Amino acid sequence: MKSLKELEEIRQRALESVNLRKERNGTRIVVGMGTCGIAAGARPVLLAFLEEVKKRNLQDVIVTQTGCIGMCRFEPMAEVYKPGEDKVTYVKLTPEKVRRIVAEHIVNGRPVTEFTIGAADQQ
Amino acid sequence: MELYRAHVLVCGGTGCTSSGSVGIIDRFNQELEKHHIQNEVKVVRTGCFGLCEVGPIVIVYPEGAFYSRVKVEDVPEIVEEHLVKGRIVKRLLYHDSVAEDQTIKSLDEVGFYKKQMRVALRNCGVIDPENIEEYIAVDGYKALGKVLTEMTPEQVIEIIKASGLRGRGGAGFPTGLKWEFTRKAPGDKKFVCCNADEGDPGAFMDRSILEGDPHSVIEAMAIAGYAVGADQGYIYVRAEYPIAVKRLTIAIAQAREYGLLGKDIFGTGFNFDIELRLGAGAFVCGEETALIASIEGRRGEPRPRPPFPAVKGVFSKPTLLNNVETYANIPVIILKGPEWFSSIGTEKSKGTKVFALGGKINNTGLVEIPMGTTLREIVYEIGGGIPGGKKFKAAQTGGPSGGCIPAEYLDTPIDYESLTQIGSMMGSGGLIIMDEDTCMVDIARFFLDFTVSESCGKCPPCRIGTRRMLEILDRIVSGKGQEGDIEKLELLAKNIKASALCGLGQTAPNPVLSTIRYFRDEYEAHIKEKRCPAGVCQALLQYVIIPELCKGCGLCARNCPVGAISGELKKPYSIDPDKCIKCGVCMEKCRFNAVKKQ
């Protein structure tokens, strides 16, 4: 170890390895992983969320999963909880849609209305 | 580095390891692979979570689900339900962590953790102790970097002095002063040592820190080395702590690899390295001069002080010697500042103290509380009270060197001065809770028996005096106590305290003195009435059959191994006290509760 800068670099790199273990109030992305969800392709969706979060180094976002949400025809589904905001439910997800959701909603705070359950219902 | 969506933290402290946590980790890894989610979920072996009573403990993040008493067979269910399908396995959750509305409480809300404040234990149960990067991620070695690049040694010592930190090994000497004495002692070569020879029966605070967060001690020792002007450190740890020794060895190797030990640390020209010294488990080696002798390779015997180690320590060079828990506090003090630290605690005792809570208590485990917390809060709020609704009788602090605190002092704030004032001591942190079924004479005898066998034998007051005291106590508990025995004990105690060579002998009579002080009536009952009020001392017990309750079934007589019970069927039986060996079988077998101990 030759400098504080070097230590800080290791710290930054290692931070995400322990960050998950803190009590946090950040954004929660919950992917439906019931049998219906998995059959409809929820796993690639979950992995896409993880990959995006990692790529953008988002510190205060957790990706987790839940069972069947009850509307199997809309799977794969995910719910996004941001502190102080209403829950947003996205339906019929694909890894491509996930990338847009992370960029527009998680990072910039603008829900992607066209992918939400409300939009799907009106069709 | 992979990004994991969930972390499974499995306790790898000694308690949970002995109840099978290694098997649990293996099974988790197998099951994760089976479900092909080993790249999404990370299994981490951490240090002690503190709630050893309900171990093995597994915590799953991000939900913070606190699973207790997990068995290897439970693992497939946790993986399949929780980690694959996202459904928490409610049946395995620690009962106090589930709120009334069935949601999971945050750990700070659980009764056991609510009143605690984890400073020395900050990383125990949070990071993987065998991975230096996880320690660095939680600001590890930042304090060392700050000290080496921004401060002079004198400034470091000023900060420690201003924080009000006192030695956590038991005596409570101001840490900053000790550092200053060592810095000012003349000498070209100096040493920094860590006392990890934790020997009190039932105490495991230091072990848990070494197992859960070894780097905090290494970092603090390097800081101390810079402050006092030493380039070599020794950690004296007992060989009976194999997990602690293994993790320390790994941690030291990793610190060297990252250049945090060795030459020219942080490019400042400061050199520091640490070696381990394993002790053979002699209690006296926790005494500083005996510890130093043992590090040097000599027999672990104390010598008179002064000169103190700060002047003449390891290899006759000025030596700084602090306890594990004291060191664990140092990096946080440097990073958060002395004002932060001194805002915790009482006027003269700053910061927190770790206690190993044991004995007759529901939540056996490791707790860290701010100084000034009362014993009542520890016993009833953190400890969850006494099993079976029994009455609190006394708490023993300081192990064989300490004393007991009776029920009337339950509201005493815990700090160095208040405990000394009521005849006990802070000690290193063993805290044994006793209920109404505990005989205080027997407890005093137990601790004295310990010190007698651990006395090194160098000075007569300790070698001979404590043995004479033990003989008197043996006599009292076996029903042969004589008038005047209590006074003899007090006189011997006074003389031993005044004349013994080291801390072991000087404090050995404390458990006897404090039990006499608060429970003299129990001693008198043993001596004068030949009776043990708590019903513990076998020799003073009599098993009798209450004629009114006895139905004359003869079950007791058939089970008595020595034929001490006789009688006629359907008439009350009786026990011959001369033949009775007090095994208690009759009491166990009787269906009518007609056999009583008295």
Side-chain angles (χ1 to χ4, degrees), chain A residues 9 18 20 29-31 35 39 41 49 59 69-70 72 76 80-81 92 106 117-120 122:
Chain A
E9 278 166 20
V18 293
L20 198 61
I29 304 170
V30 183
V31 183
T35 304
F49 270 119
Q59 295 296 344
I69 302 177
C72 311
V80 174
Y81 297 85
K92 294 189 174 168
I106 311 294
I117 190 160
Q122 281 160 13

Side-chain angles (χ1 to χ4, degrees), chain B residues 167-179:
Chain B
R168 296 290 191 251
F173 189 80
T175 306
L177 275 184
K178 209 180 211 179
W179 289 29

Side-chain angles (χ1 to χ4, degrees), chain B residues 550-569:
Chain B
C550 180
K551 305 273 189 244
C553 68
L555 193 60
C556 54
R558 282 202 299 281
N559 281 289
C560 178
V562 289
I565 306 178
S566 57
E568 250 177 82
L569 277 180

